[in-house]
Amino acid sequence: MKRGALSTIAAGAAAIFGAGSALAAEGAPTPGGVHFQEPATAVMRDIVSFHDNWLMPIIVGVSVFVLALLLWVIVRFNRRANPTPRKFTHNLLVEVIWTIVPVIILVVIASQSFPLIIKEETIPQSEYTLKVTGRSWSWAYEYPDLGVSFTSSILSDEDIAARNAGDPEVPARRLLSTTEPLVVPVGANVHVLVTSEDVIHAWAVPSFGVKEDAIMGRVNETWFNVDSPGVYYGQCSELCGKDHAFMPIEVRAVSRAEFAEWVVAQGGTMPGAPAVGAGGEPEAAAAAPTR
Amino acid sequence: MSHHDAAHAGGAHDAHGDHRPSIYDPRRWLFSTNHKDIGTMYLVFAIIAGLIGGAMSGLIRWELKEPGITFLPHLVHVPHAILEQVRLGVMNADQLWAWKVDAAKHFYDTLVTYHGLIMIFFMVMPAMIGGFGNWFVPLMIGAPDMAFPRMNNISFWLLPVSFTLAMISFLVPGAGDHAGFGGGWTLYAPLSTNWGGGATPFSYHDGPAMDFLILSLHIAGASSILGAINFITTIFNMRAPGMTLHRMPLFVWSMLVTVWLLVLSLPVLAGALTMLLTDRNFHTNFFNPAGGGDPVMYQHLFWFFGHPEVYILILPGFGMVSQIVSTFSRKPVFGYLGMAYAMVSIGLIGFVVWAHHMYTVGMGLDLEAYFIAATMVIAVPTGIKIFSWIATMWGGSIDFKVPMLWAIGFIFLFTVGGVTGVVLANSGVDTSFHDTYYVVAHFHYVLSLGAVFAIFGGFFYWIPKMSGYRYNGFLAGLQFWIMFIGVNIVFFPQHFLGAQGMPRRHVDYNEAYQYWNNISTIGYLITAVGVLVFLVTLVEMFLVKRKAGANPWGEGANTLEWSLSSPPPFHQFNELPVIKPEAGH
Ligand code: HEM
Ligand SMILES: [Cu+2]
Ligand SMILES: [Cu+2]
């Protein structure tokens, strides 16, 4: 597993992202963007659709309704339009309505909310287990069953310039690109275990709909299943001290074949492949569920 | 709510026995036991703290105007040892700049931290509770003063002490070489502890800054608890004859609920802070997993205080807005009892929703489901309040005086902040929004555009009563419009940044976030002009000295304070007013 880090990365990157590989997706912020990053998992698509189809219409509706009422009273009941104020202070009917209707709206929201959290929080049968460890200020990744582990830190401005000089298909991005991206297979359930070696960090990839606190002494779990090959970025999302803004997350989702190549290049062993070290677990692959 | 015949009982009677000491006599302020003087000190304190906290947010926004760390490195304090290295040539100019950039990262975190703490503990709370509460709770219930006038004095004077400690904390070493505590106003452990060091010297706070901050917040908490006890006693025991609980003005109701929240929630914060203190100094392990403790327990304790706290910051505003809307619509409050009990239920429910701030700690499905449901329930009484304010205006004869502008602005902008709260309540979506600028936008809509609008509304509503002078309507109106536009430009784009995934508390950001950050900073500049206009309005008012009558607002202003002269006599209601039920109530 020892290797010259940079040359391996370069070789790996060339193997994975060589000419012709369809690297359509990029999970990154867009300049001036006002909406979510492009979703890359079913969970994130559900988050977006819950937000866009249910929450947004409701909250925009409520806000516009309140604004319209305010404008109406401003126009209709100002001093000039209505010199003598009326004195009523009760109206049972409207009071009942504005209690019941919000309750109904909230029940509707909850009916959509609960299925979503069930989907997010129920870890499906997973092909791969990924252990993520936050530390000040970088991320350590490990596929315990594959015998792969490495550390991923922020890519310096010089390295970004160097990488982009070669006019790569996916440019390196400031504050988002890392020295060594996490590589995951497309279309596989990945069970993520998140913990920390020191203060609390949070492992977040917006386009996956994943954000999980990394806490010392506790292992949190979440999962994802990436739709299509691409590069997906995230950033530490729990204040962890001076370099909190400088411990990015870069995930490269690749085909299963490319993933297997990468694992081997990292000195690990794919399950089912002739065992190099210990721990090839053939059943894991057989049990691969469709989610 | 109630008619009264206090005009003679209060104002006229007291006037001749009124021994008002000179404002230049320091003893009047240091030893004050007068609720109005103490209220004034609270308000002055809040304005000063607000300017300091506001300046900090200016530094934050200026740094965030462009990507890269470009501005704050110019401001960081360079320790003597570093300067010495530069002098000896061990460190060249580039290395010095790199050192400053590094220091600026921590400096940025401290600005975010102290900005939040100052605005919450030293601006909003002193203005609303200490300032307006002290001034107007006794006046509105027909009491001569607060129940415990000397305790009132110590409640106030603890606050400058606490603030001084917080400022010391800002300046003494916090993490390694760097000054101040940079862990956010939530003070999460383990970042707020000193266990670390070694390989990662800056990830923990080994310096005394955090200890000073703990002490500061303990004292601020003691000040608030003493104040809260004072209010509870005053409201329960010192109402004028006939002033039943159900005839109290809504501002008094809002204060009653607020101070109960304080009494019940602050001790929990005090407990959490004490555990932090002993973890830091006496090797206890409350929050240290290595010793059997749990960092998540800190968050539960903090938010058990923290969520009620955010309602502490807004409930008095609800009360003020109710008074203002009723006064300028010249119409009694719609659904008085519903309004009062909506606040009571908000207060109660507010104690059982805390973990909606912690959806990502890994609490599991059942707990998330519970906290989603409980949190959304709060939207119901909140909706009752919004609609009742509008119903109060409905059929009214509205006068758009400056306080009313702030109140109407409040109602709309608070609605916007409220609905994004409902979005965040859904942990499924909060997975995306948590710890992003969306949350920052949410809480600034309810605080900077909610609580602060209510404070300005209350200020212009009551300043003729407090000072005896009328403000310049043009200047004050100008301030409203500038700030209304400014704060919306600051905070609305932050929803977009959050949706795009920009995490909060990041000193630097990817270029993709530049567009909206730049606009947000422009909004800050506009807002700052509004604050300047506010200061000009204040100065102009005290220079020109336009006399305000006892009741500048007319028939709509029918609570007891308007029956007294402006400013009220130094001691009022020596003969208690008698409150009669309102005809047809
Ligand atoms: C309908 C009412 C409200 C609901 C449902 C609501 C919900 C929430 C939720 C779920 C969060 C956590 C978001 C996150 O960290 O991911 C939050 C944060 C926050 N809310 Fe609200 N909220 C409401 C009203 C208010 C009010 C009235 C205030 C204060 C005036 C307030 C102040 C805050 C603050 C300060 C935070 C951020 C705390 C921090 O993390 O630093 N909210 N709110
Ligand atoms: Cu972090
Ligand atoms: Cu809350």
Side-chain angles (χ1 to χ4, degrees), chain A residues 29-30 32 35 37 72 77 79 82-83 86-87 89 113 117 120 174 198 211 213 220 236-238 242-243, chain B residues 102 105 204 330 335 360-361 394-399 426-428 431-432 434 500 506 508-511 516:
Chain A
T30 36
H35 194 236
Q37 294 180 19
W72 176 251
F77 299 110
R79 204 152 192 174
N82 191 36
R86 291 159 65 195
K87 289 291 168 199
T89 57
S113 192
I117 60 166
E120 286 181 15
R174 199 177 74 87
D198 41 48
K211 184 174 289 146
D213 286 359
N220 281 333
C236 179
S237 296
E238 179 63 60
K242 181 171 70 73
D243 279 311
Chain B
D102 218 38
K105 296 172 186 171
Y204 296 76
R330 292 194 289 148
T360 58
V361 297
W394 199 278
S397 179
I398 307 174
D399 214 348
N426 295 282
S427 76
T431 308
S432 284
H434 177 64
Q500 275 280 299
H506 274 208
D508 194 2
Y509 52 80
N510 180 269
E511 284 63 16
W516 292 118

Side-chain angles (χ1 to χ4, degrees), chain A residues 29-103:
Chain A
T30 36
V34 299
H35 194 236
F36 293 107
Q37 294 180 19
E38 204 55 44
T41 63
V43 164
M44 189 58 201
R45 269 182 274 121
D46 284 2
I47 292 176
V48 174
S49 92
F50 175 39
H51 178 266
D52 288 4
N53 302 332
W54 295 89
L55 293 173
M56 272 308 265
I58 289 172
I59 68 170
V60 172
V62 169
S63 304
V64 169
F65 179 62
V66 168
L67 182 62
L69 288 176
L70 281 173
L71 291 177
W72 176 251
V73 294
I74 288 171
V75 171
R76 178 63 191 76
F77 299 110
N78 63 52
R79 204 152 192 174
R80 223 171 311 141
N82 191 36
T84 21
R86 291 159 65 195
K87 289 291 168 199
F88 68 90
T89 57
H90 294 283
N91 183 326
L92 192 61
L93 181 65
V94 298
E95 289 180 70
V96 170
I97 291 176
W98 72 46
T99 311
I100 300 295
V101 172
V103 170

Side-chain angles (χ1 to χ4, degrees), chain A residues 20-265:
Chain A
S21 91
L23 240 181
E26 193 183 18
T30 36
V34 299
H35 194 236
F36 293 107
Q37 294 180 19
E38 204 55 44
T41 63
V43 164
M44 189 58 201
R45 269 182 274 121
D46 284 2
I47 292 176
V48 174
S49 92
F50 175 39
H51 178 266
D52 288 4
N53 302 332
W54 295 89
L55 293 173
M56 272 308 265
I58 289 172
I59 68 170
V60 172
V62 169
S63 304
V64 169
F65 179 62
V66 168
L67 182 62
L69 288 176
L70 281 173
L71 291 177
W72 176 251
V73 294
I74 288 171
V75 171
R76 178 63 191 76
F77 299 110
N78 63 52
R79 204 152 192 174
R80 223 171 311 141
N82 191 36
T84 21
R86 291 159 65 195
K87 289 291 168 199
F88 68 90
T89 57
H90 294 283
N91 183 326
L92 192 61
L93 181 65
V94 298
E95 289 180 70
V96 170
I97 291 176
W98 72 46
T99 311
I100 300 295
V101 172
V103 170
I104 295 172
I105 293 177
L106 294 172
V107 169
V108 170
I109 293 179
S111 74
Q112 299 299 312
S113 192
F114 290 150
L116 178 61
I117 60 166
I118 291 171
K119 187 162 186 171
E120 286 181 15
E121 291 294 322
T122 315
I123 314 276
Q125 264 255 326
S126 299
E127 257 176 272
Y128 299 102
T129 300
L130 167 68
K131 187 172 173 218
V132 179
T133 308
R135 51 166 81 133
S136 302
W137 292 275
S138 62
W139 293 99
Y141 295 109
E142 181 181 6
Y143 283 105
D145 304 333
L146 308 181
V148 171
S149 66
F150 59 95
T151 301
S152 177
S153 328
I154 189 167
L155 198 62
S156 69
D157 288 357
E158 297 78 53
D159 287 347
I160 288 177
R163 209 185 269 186
N164 287 350
D167 201 16
E169 194 180 351
V170 185
R173 296 193 178 276
R174 199 177 74 87
L175 301 180
L176 299 175
S177 293
T178 58
T179 50
E180 185 159 4
L182 169 67
V183 176
V184 303
V186 161
N189 289 336
V190 179
H191 181 185
V192 191
L193 305 175
V194 186
T195 189
S196 167
E197 278 178 11
D198 41 48
V199 298
I200 303 177
H201 308 269
W203 196 77
V205 182
S207 50
F208 291 2
V210 166
K211 184 174 289 146
E212 199 68 34
D213 286 359
I215 304 172
M216 192 211 286
R218 156 193 293 249
V219 179
N220 281 333
E221 49 179 4
T222 183
W223 70 284
F224 59 78
N225 184 325
V226 189
D227 292 338
S228 51
V231 185
Y232 306 94
Y233 298 104
Q235 289 175 282
C236 179
S237 296
E238 179 63 60
L239 179 55
C240 56
K242 181 171 70 73
D243 279 311
H244 168 50
F246 306 94
M247 47 183 294
I249 294 143
E250 179 183 11
V251 186
R252 303 217 156 196
V254 298
S255 71
R256 283 162 185 275
E258 287 165 320
F259 180 69
E261 273 172 47
W262 175 79
V263 169
V264 173

Side-chain angles (χ1 to χ4, degrees), chain B residues 120 185-186 188 302-303 306-307 309-315 318 353-360 375-380 382 414 417-426 430-431 433-436 439-440 442-447 450-451 504-505:
Chain B
I120 289 170
W185 80 281
T186 47
Y188 277 7
F302 181 85
W303 288 115
H307 186 81
E309 171 67 21
V310 305
Y311 277 97
I312 288 163
L313 298 171
I314 199 70
L315 281 167
F318 285 177
V353 300
W354 72 91
H356 63 214
H357 296 273
M358 311 162 47
Y359 283 138
T360 58
T375 301
M376 289 207 294
V377 169
I378 296 202
V380 177
T382 310
F414 184 78
V419 293
T420 57
V422 172
V423 170
L424 293 172
N426 295 282
D430 188 61
T431 308
F433 288 139
H434 177 64
D435 258 309
T436 70
V439 175
V440 177
H442 157 68
F443 68 73
H444 282 95
Y445 262 81
V446 281
L447 291 173
R504 64 193 284 209
R505 297 164 168 168

